[in-house]
Amino acid sequence: MLQIKRPSIVDVAELAKVSKQTVSRVINESPNVSEKTRQRVLQAIEALGFRRSELARNFSQGRTHSLGVVGRDLNYFGTRTYIGIARQAEALGYSLLLKELPESGIEQIEPMLNALLDRHVDGILWAVPEIADNHAWLDSGLLARIPVPMVFLSMAPRQEATVVAYDNFAGGELATRYLLDCGRKHIGHIAGPQEWWDASERQRGWETTLQQAGMKVLPEHVAMGNWDAASGEAAFHRLLASYPALDAVFVANDKMALGVLLAAHEKGLRIPEDLAVIGFDDITESAYFHPPLTTIFQDKAALGQQAVKTLAHRIEQKFQPAVQHVLESTPLTHQLIVRKTTPAGVIKT
Amino acid sequence: MLQIKRPSIVDVAELAKVSKQTVSRVINESPNVSEKTRQRVLQAIEALGFRRSELARNFSQGRTHSLGVVGRDLNYFGTRTYIGIARQAEALGYSLLLKELPESGIEQIEPMLNALLDRHVDGILWAVPEIADNHAWLDSGLLARIPVPMVFLSMAPRQEATVVAYDNFAGGELATRYLLDCGRKHIGHIAGPQEWWDASERQRGWETTLQQAGMKVLPEHVAMGNWDAASGEAAFHRLLASYPALDAVFVANDKMALGVLLAAHEKGLRIPEDLAVIGFDDITESAYFHPPLTTIFQDKAALGQQAVKTLAHRIEQKFQPAVQHVLESTPLTHQLIVRKTTPAGVIKT
DNA sequence: CTGTTAGCGCTTTCAA
DNA sequence: TTGAAAGCGCTAACAG
């Protein structure tokens, strides 16, 4: 099973009777080649089935036209986010080098970044959710020593770091205000894990909105889950116990809301008459929950796209500081999707 | 903003007063280095903060220790599959180069493969679901011309192609047999898109099992969906119309089953008394459906792991034909998960 | 045990 | 418009 060597630029040069330099010019579409030789070279390329080795090119140029993507469990940001990332990267001519950051934590971070840098990625996209202080390394000065542009997905804004994120605070406000508009007076919250930035922002949005409406917010008006349906169910039981007057609940994601719906049903609560429920995310299933879930939509694909655009923009700036690059931007705003878990007839602008 | 050049092997050599070859030996842990010089070199490495450039190494070795992964929409195989792939690749020392195959189709395939080969991936993992004839290119001889090992995820077995897949036929049998064991006499099927290999296999499992039980299987006993909850709902309405005696339904995936549950509820059917329902996949939400869904579990992470193991095994074989490599294998068998959408009290071995 | 010499396949000077 | 030469950072093959 003889391995046939890929033809190189030299093979093409020999066949076309030119220098390899000329071949290089042809494949790079340099204008400084006569039409005649260009044709000869193109023929040789065709005849040999030549393709330029990106590996060699990357090596010689010192850049790889690839982006390192560090994720955690792929599934937090969800497949939609990754699709956005992948499509946008492809569109912009970047390859993706994917890494999974293990739970273990902080001591894995530097090795991971190094692995990417050793492969000379042009930029790095950090798609690890911010949990507790797992982004604390940013303040250690490590960031400044990373020689390539870096973009962070959905983390708390901080100095010197480029962040692409939804405004979860605003999302929390949107959900809560809607429940207020429905006329509910006792709006509880089932939060994601406190240590998650996204979760605490959503909670802050809920709290602030209620306070601005002149309502009191007590600790027993919140229960915490871990994003899973099971935890939503458990949290709902606790919440109902600690806040019996409850007539509406803002759940920090749709999966937990699924658990809430089940639990409420078991308790014999009518939805939305006795209890209004609003979720967060608008996962595809939520339209088929029982009853269909009112929720806050966020376009995860757009989030991924925007992150890649931003990163690519910074890379181009670095490699060609001369030219003015424009950064296209996708708007990232939450949308309210009203379905059956909230009362009908409410006008919302 | 001066870009500091990464120290190279040569810088280390100079500082340690040895040849770069010796440095190379040290970083590759060759035994043929005296302890004394090794220490000197290590110190120099430390002092300079040297790290070997994987890019250069890849180039010089002609292999990249990376796997090309071609997926479609990331979400068909699901995040679990990708987590399995990512973790196993990491464990085996491979990087992942990710590509998304656009829907458009066949004319994208060769460019995609070429893009991967131009970057000299060591192997390719094809994670695109087999739909209609979108794998027909395999029979065109293209495969034979791909110079690196390739592994296909979840497609129909064929000559000359390495496939890692669940036996969907067996899964269909398992589900159907269970409904029979429950004593149901009118078992319908809501299938995935006919053109999907996985879908048609599951259907075949259903059909065969019923026939072996001496039952007649008619076209009106099946309705087709597109994997989405919405399509499951619609398909159920059609199925009920064409097969009024229906007392059980095997749904080809959990999402569609979700739609079925909603539709059945609206029809006033009691589950499982009037209608037993079994899904397929065991997505995390299904335990929280209303009622909790009986389903067939498949470990997608294990699927991804097994695919990477298989691919890595073939790669090692190629690069070091001398040594005997053992291929660890993860068992890929479906499991029945009994919850509330099927009658209780059935003993199942 | 260590050093020397090539060479991987391309791009980037610099000359002609 | 073309070519020659050097170099990217490493490994491989051969000497000593």
Side-chain angles (χ1 to χ4, degrees):
Chain A
M1 132 115 126
L2 184 66
Q3 194 64 37
I4 287 78
K5 196 180 128 326
R6 278 173 72 115
S8 86
I9 204 181
V10 178
D11 301 317
V12 176
E14 282 174 0
L15 184 58
K17 313 249 186 257
V18 294
S19 75
K20 64 179 184 176
Q21 205 29 243
T22 302
V23 178
S24 174
R25 288 191 182 100
V26 171
I27 60 186
N28 288 303
E29 296 173 314
S30 154
N32 302 325
V33 184
S34 75
E35 193 49 31
K36 218 183 107 195
T37 46
R38 150 174 276 107
Q39 287 307 330
R40 203 144 34 91
V41 170
L42 287 176
Q43 270 180 6
I45 287 177
E46 179 74 16
L48 263 37
F50 165 84
R51 308 204 90 237
R52 163 172 69 190
S53 161
E54 287 301 320
L55 181 54
R57 178 173 130 103
N58 290 342
F59 172 58
S60 129
Q61 292 191 140
R63 68 171 289 194
T64 55
H65 303 274
S66 70
L67 307 178
V69 178
V70 182
R72 153 98 96 242
D73 264 14
L74 291 197
N75 67 353
Y76 163 57
F77 288 113
T79 53
R80 305 288 322 155
T81 314
Y82 275 88
I83 291 175
I85 291 172
R87 291 226 209 291
Q88 191 62 50
E90 184 75 34
L92 264 31
Y94 288 96
S95 290
L96 291 183
L97 208 55
L98 202 64
K99 289 277 175 192
E100 265 287 293
L101 187 67
E103 304 271 341
S104 45
I106 255 183
E107 66 284 357
Q108 296 291 346
I109 289 172
E110 222 177 317
M112 189 116 298
L113 287 169
N114 278 330
L116 255 18
L117 294 175
D118 293 347
R119 285 176 180 273
H120 291 251
V121 295
D122 290 354
I124 296 177
L125 179 51
W126 198 256
V128 178
E130 178 164 13
I131 305 174
D133 59 348
N134 76 341
H135 281 46
W137 61 272
L138 280 171
D139 309 315
S140 74
L142 212 184
L143 183 57
R145 278 180 279 121
I146 295 171
V148 301
M150 201 159 168
V151 165
F152 295 83
L153 218 52
S154 204
M155 76 165 185
R158 34 191 110 198
Q159 293 233 331
E160 311 282 322
T162 306
V163 178
V164 173
Y166 266 93
D167 183 347
N168 284 289
F169 177 80
E173 283 185 318
L174 181 58
T176 310
R177 177 154 309 287
Y178 176 67
L179 293 173
L180 283 172
D181 290 349
C182 291
R184 301 297 159 133
K185 303 295 181 202
H186 302 282
I187 303 175
H189 180 48
I190 291 184
Q194 212 51 219
E195 319 86 50
W196 285 58
W197 176 70
D198 317 63
S200 66
E201 283 293 291
R202 287 174 202 173
Q203 177 169 344
R204 218 164 53 78
W206 162 78
E207 192 169 336
T208 304
T209 306
L210 290 185
Q211 283 167 345
Q212 283 175 355
M215 290 173 155
K216 238 197 181 124
V217 179
L218 300 174
E220 53 264 39
H221 296 172
V222 195
M224 199 175 87
N226 70 3
W227 300 124
D228 277 350
S231 75
E233 179 186 35
F236 180 72
H237 287 307
R238 293 198 306 276
L239 183 64
L240 201 57
S242 66
Y243 192 10
L246 193 73
D247 63 5
V249 59
F250 162 40
V251 189
N253 77 338
D254 286 358
K255 289 191 180 191
M256 291 196 296
L258 178 60
V260 170
L261 294 181
L262 185 65
H265 179 84
E266 285 170 354
K267 287 276 183 191
L269 293 171
R270 290 168 308 158
I271 293 174
E273 294 81 358
D274 302 328
L275 182 76
V277 179
I278 186 166
F280 207 101
D281 273 351
D282 192 30
I283 60 178
T284 53
E285 290 84 358
S286 47
Y288 289 84
F289 286 178
H290 176 75
L293 182 71
T294 291
T295 190
I296 302 293
F297 170 76
Q298 38 185 357
D299 187 341
K300 296 290 196 90
L303 180 69
Q305 280 190 326
Q306 184 56 38
V308 170
K309 279 184 195 165
T310 306
L311 183 53
H313 178 253
R314 299 228 290 135
I315 292 169
E316 279 154 28
Q317 236 171 228
K318 174 180 158 185
F319 281 104
Q320 319 169 1
V323 287
Q324 291 292 329
H325 300 278
V326 282
L327 175 56
E328 288 175 69
S329 72
T330 322
L332 294 177
T333 43
H334 290 105
Q335 277 174 262
L336 175 67
I337 309 288
V338 176
R339 288 199 273 253
K340 303 292 179 79
T341 59
T342 48
V346 177
I347 284 111
K348 179 68 190 141
T349 36
Chain B
M1 137 113 121
L2 183 65
Q3 193 66 35
I4 288 81
K5 195 180 125 333
R6 278 172 71 115
S8 86
I9 203 180
V10 178
D11 302 317
V12 176
E14 282 174 359
L15 184 58
K17 313 245 184 261
V18 293
S19 75
K20 65 180 183 175
Q21 200 35 237
T22 301
V23 177
S24 173
R25 288 190 182 100
V26 170
I27 60 187
N28 289 302
E29 297 173 313
S30 152
N32 302 324
V33 184
S34 76
E35 193 48 33
K36 217 183 107 195
T37 45
R38 150 173 276 106
Q39 288 307 331
R40 201 143 35 88
V41 171
L42 287 176
Q43 270 181 6
I45 287 178
E46 179 73 17
L48 264 37
F50 165 84
R51 309 206 88 238
R52 162 172 70 190
S53 162
E54 288 301 320
L55 182 55
R57 178 172 130 103
N58 290 342
F59 172 58
S60 117
Q61 291 191 143
R63 67 172 290 193
T64 54
H65 303 272
S66 69
L67 307 179
V69 178
V70 182
R72 153 98 97 243
D73 263 14
L74 292 197
N75 67 353
Y76 163 57
F77 288 113
T79 53
R80 305 287 324 154
T81 313
Y82 275 89
I83 291 176
I85 291 172
R87 289 226 209 290
Q88 190 64 48
E90 183 75 34
L92 264 29
Y94 288 95
S95 290
L96 290 183
L97 207 57
L98 202 65
K99 290 279 175 190
E100 264 286 293
L101 188 67
E103 303 272 342
S104 45
I106 255 182
E107 67 284 357
Q108 296 289 346
I109 288 173
E110 219 175 319
M112 189 116 298
L113 288 169
N114 278 329
L116 254 20
L117 294 174
D118 293 348
R119 284 177 180 272
H120 291 251
V121 295
D122 290 354
I124 296 177
L125 179 52
W126 198 256
V128 178
E130 179 165 13
I131 305 173
D133 60 348
N134 77 341
H135 281 46
W137 60 273
L138 282 172
D139 309 315
S140 74
L142 214 183
L143 182 56
R145 277 181 279 121
I146 294 172
V148 300
M150 202 161 168
V151 165
F152 295 82
L153 219 53
S154 205
M155 75 163 185
R158 34 191 111 200
Q159 292 231 333
E160 310 283 324
T162 305
V163 177
V164 173
Y166 266 94
D167 182 346
N168 285 289
F169 177 80
E173 283 185 317
L174 180 58
T176 310
R177 178 153 308 288
Y178 176 68
L179 293 174
L180 283 172
D181 291 348
C182 290
R184 300 297 159 131
K185 303 295 181 203
H186 302 283
I187 304 175
H189 180 48
I190 290 184
Q194 212 52 217
E195 321 84 51
W196 286 57
W197 176 69
D198 317 64
S200 66
E201 283 292 293
R202 288 174 202 172
Q203 178 170 345
R204 219 164 52 76
W206 161 78
E207 192 169 337
T208 304
T209 305
L210 290 185
Q211 283 167 344
Q212 284 174 354
M215 290 173 156
K216 241 201 180 121
V217 178
L218 301 174
E220 53 263 40
H221 297 171
V222 195
M224 200 175 88
N226 69 4
W227 300 124
D228 277 348
S231 74
E233 179 186 35
F236 181 71
H237 288 306
R238 291 199 306 277
L239 183 62
L240 201 55
S242 67
Y243 192 10
L246 193 73
D247 63 6
V249 58
F250 162 40
V251 189
N253 78 339
D254 285 359
K255 289 190 180 190
M256 290 196 295
L258 179 60
V260 169
L261 294 180
L262 184 65
H265 179 84
E266 284 170 355
K267 288 275 182 191
L269 293 172
R270 290 169 307 157
I271 292 175
E273 295 82 357
D274 301 329
L275 182 76
V277 179
I278 186 166
F280 207 101
D281 273 351
D282 192 31
I283 60 177
T284 54
E285 290 83 359
S286 46
Y288 289 84
F289 285 178
H290 175 74
L293 182 70
T294 292
T295 189
I296 302 293
F297 169 76
Q298 39 184 357
D299 186 342
K300 296 291 196 90
L303 181 70
Q305 281 190 326
Q306 184 57 38
V308 170
K309 279 184 195 165
T310 307
L311 183 53
H313 178 252
R314 299 226 291 134
I315 292 170
E316 280 153 26
Q317 237 171 227
K318 174 180 158 184
F319 280 105
Q320 320 168 1
V323 287
Q324 289 293 330
H325 300 278
V326 281
L327 174 56
E328 288 175 68
S329 73
T330 320
L332 294 178
T333 43
H334 290 106
Q335 278 174 262
L336 173 68
I337 309 288
V338 177
R339 291 198 273 252
K340 303 293 178 78
T341 57
T342 47
V346 177
I347 286 111
K348 178 68 193 140
T349 35

Coordinates of all heavy atoms in Angstrom, one line a residue, chain B residues 162-190:
Chain B
T162 N -15.3 2.1 7.2 CA -15.3 1.7 8.6 C -16.5 2.5 9.2 O -16.5 3.8 9.1 CB -14.0 2.1 9.3 OG1 -12.9 1.5 8.6 CG2 -14.0 1.7 10.8
V163 N -17.4 1.8 9.9 CA -18.6 2.5 10.4 C -18.7 2.2 11.9 O -18.4 1.1 12.4 CB -19.9 2.0 9.7 CG1 -21.1 2.6 10.4 CG2 -19.8 2.2 8.3
V164 N -19.0 3.3 12.7 CA -19.3 3.1 14.1 C -20.7 3.5 14.3 O -21.0 4.7 14.0 CB -18.3 3.9 15.0 CG1 -18.8 3.8 16.4 CG2 -16.9 3.4 14.8
A165 N -21.6 2.6 14.7 CA -23.0 3.0 14.8 C -23.7 2.1 15.8 O -23.3 1.0 16.1 CB -23.6 2.8 13.4
Y166 N -24.8 2.6 16.3 CA -25.8 1.8 17.0 C -26.6 1.0 16.0 O -26.7 1.4 14.9 CB -26.7 2.7 17.8 CG -26.3 3.0 19.2 CD1 -25.5 4.1 19.5 CD2 -26.6 2.1 20.2 CE1 -25.1 4.4 20.8 CE2 -26.2 2.4 21.5 CZ -25.4 3.5 21.8 OH -25.0 3.8 23.1
D167 N -27.0 -0.1 16.5 CA -27.9 -0.9 15.7 C -29.3 -0.5 15.9 O -30.0 -0.9 16.8 CB -27.7 -2.4 16.1 CG -28.6 -3.3 15.2 OD1 -29.5 -2.8 14.5 OD2 -28.4 -4.5 15.3
N168 N -29.7 0.4 15.0 CA -31.1 1.0 15.1 C -32.2 0.0 14.9 O -33.3 0.1 15.4 CB -31.2 2.2 14.2 CG -30.5 3.4 14.7 OD1 -30.9 4.0 15.6 ND2 -29.4 3.7 14.0
F169 N -31.9 -1.0 14.1 CA -32.8 -2.0 13.9 C -33.1 -2.7 15.2 O -34.3 -2.9 15.6 CB -32.3 -3.0 12.8 CG -33.2 -4.2 12.6 CD1 -34.3 -4.1 11.8 CD2 -32.9 -5.4 13.2 CE1 -35.1 -5.2 11.5 CE2 -33.8 -6.5 13.0 CZ -34.9 -6.4 12.1
A170 N -32.1 -3.1 15.9 CA -32.3 -3.8 17.2 C -33.0 -2.9 18.2 O -33.8 -3.3 19.0 CB -30.9 -4.2 17.8
G171 N -32.7 -1.6 18.1 CA -33.4 -0.6 19.0 C -34.9 -0.6 18.7 O -35.7 -0.6 19.6
G172 N -35.2 -0.6 17.4 CA -36.7 -0.7 17.0 C -37.3 -1.9 17.5 O -38.5 -1.9 18.0
E173 N -36.6 -3.0 17.4 CA -37.1 -4.3 17.9 C -37.4 -4.2 19.4 O -38.5 -4.6 19.9 CB -36.1 -5.4 17.7 CG -36.0 -5.9 16.3 CD -35.1 -7.1 16.2 OE1 -34.0 -7.0 16.8 OE2 -35.4 -8.1 15.5
L174 N -36.4 -3.7 20.1 CA -36.5 -3.6 21.6 C -37.8 -2.9 22.0 O -38.5 -3.3 22.9 CB -35.2 -2.9 22.1 CG -35.1 -2.8 23.6 CD1 -35.2 -4.1 24.4 CD2 -33.8 -2.1 24.0
A175 N -38.0 -1.7 21.4 CA -39.1 -0.9 21.7 C -40.4 -1.6 21.4 O -41.3 -1.7 22.2 CB -39.0 0.4 21.0
T176 N -40.5 -2.2 20.3 CA -41.7 -2.8 19.8 C -42.1 -4.1 20.6 O -43.2 -4.3 21.1 CB -41.6 -3.2 18.3 OG1 -41.1 -2.1 17.6 CG2 -43.0 -3.6 17.8
R177 N -41.0 -4.9 20.9 CA -41.2 -6.1 21.7 C -41.8 -5.7 23.1 O -42.6 -6.4 23.6 CB -39.9 -6.8 21.8 CG -40.0 -8.1 22.7 CD -38.9 -9.1 22.3 NE -39.0 -9.4 20.9 CZ -39.9 -10.1 20.3 NH1 -41.0 -10.5 21.0 NH2 -39.9 -10.3 19.0
Y178 N -41.3 -4.6 23.6 CA -41.7 -4.2 24.9 C -43.2 -3.8 24.9 O -44.0 -4.2 25.8 CB -40.9 -3.0 25.4 CG -41.4 -2.5 26.8 CD1 -41.3 -3.3 27.9 CD2 -42.0 -1.3 26.8 CE1 -41.8 -2.8 29.1 CE2 -42.5 -0.8 28.1 CZ -42.4 -1.6 29.2 OH -42.9 -1.1 30.4
L179 N -43.6 -3.2 23.9 CA -45.1 -2.8 23.7 C -45.9 -4.1 23.6 O -47.0 -4.2 24.2 CB -45.3 -1.9 22.6 CG -44.7 -0.5 22.7 CD1 -44.8 0.4 21.5 CD2 -45.3 0.3 23.9
L180 N -45.4 -5.0 22.9 CA -46.1 -6.3 22.7 C -46.2 -7.0 24.1 O -47.2 -7.5 24.5 CB -45.3 -7.2 21.8 CG -45.5 -7.0 20.3 CD1 -44.5 -7.9 19.5 CD2 -46.9 -7.2 19.8
D181 N -45.1 -6.9 24.8 CA -45.1 -7.5 26.2 C -46.1 -6.9 27.1 O -46.6 -7.4 28.1 CB -43.7 -7.5 26.8 CG -42.7 -8.4 26.1 OD1 -43.1 -9.2 25.3 OD2 -41.5 -8.3 26.3
C182 N -46.4 -5.6 26.8 CA -47.4 -4.9 27.6 C -48.8 -5.3 27.2 O -49.8 -4.8 27.8 CB -47.3 -3.4 27.3 SG -45.8 -2.6 28.0
G183 N -48.9 -6.2 26.2 CA -50.2 -6.7 25.8 C -50.9 -5.8 24.8 O -52.1 -6.1 24.5
R184 N -50.2 -4.9 24.2 CA -50.8 -4.1 23.2 C -51.0 -4.8 21.9 O -50.1 -5.6 21.5 CB -50.0 -2.8 23.0 CG -49.9 -2.0 24.2 CD -51.3 -1.5 24.8 NE -51.2 -1.1 26.2 CZ -51.7 0.0 26.7 NH1 -52.3 0.9 25.9 NH2 -51.7 0.2 28.0
K185 N -52.1 -4.5 21.2 CA -52.4 -5.3 20.0 C -52.3 -4.4 18.7 O -52.3 -4.9 17.6 CB -53.8 -5.8 20.1 CG -54.1 -6.8 21.2 CD -53.2 -8.0 21.1 CE -53.5 -9.0 22.3 NZ -52.4 -9.9 22.6
H186 N -52.3 -3.1 19.0 CA -52.4 -2.2 17.8 C -51.3 -1.1 17.9 O -51.5 0.0 18.4 CB -53.8 -1.5 17.7 CG -54.8 -2.5 17.6 ND1 -55.1 -3.2 16.4 CD2 -55.7 -3.0 18.5 CE1 -56.1 -4.0 16.5 NE2 -56.5 -4.0 17.8
I187 N -50.1 -1.5 17.5 CA -48.9 -0.7 17.8 C -48.5 0.0 16.5 O -48.1 -0.5 15.5 CB -47.8 -1.6 18.2 CG1 -48.2 -2.4 19.5 CG2 -46.5 -0.8 18.5 CD1 -47.2 -3.5 19.9
G188 N -48.8 1.3 16.6 CA -48.4 2.2 15.4 C -47.0 2.7 15.5 O -46.3 2.5 16.6
H189 N -46.5 3.4 14.5 CA -45.2 3.9 14.5 C -45.1 5.3 14.0 O -45.8 5.6 13.0 CB -44.2 3.0 13.7 CG -42.8 3.4 13.7 ND1 -42.1 3.8 14.8 CD2 -42.0 3.6 12.6 CE1 -40.9 4.2 14.5 NE2 -40.8 4.0 13.1
I190 N -44.5 6.2 14.7 CA -44.2 7.5 14.1 C -42.7 7.5 13.8 O -41.9 7.4 14.7 CB -44.6 8.6 15.1 CG1 -46.2 8.6 15.2 CG2 -44.1 10.0 14.6 CD1 -46.8 9.7 16.0

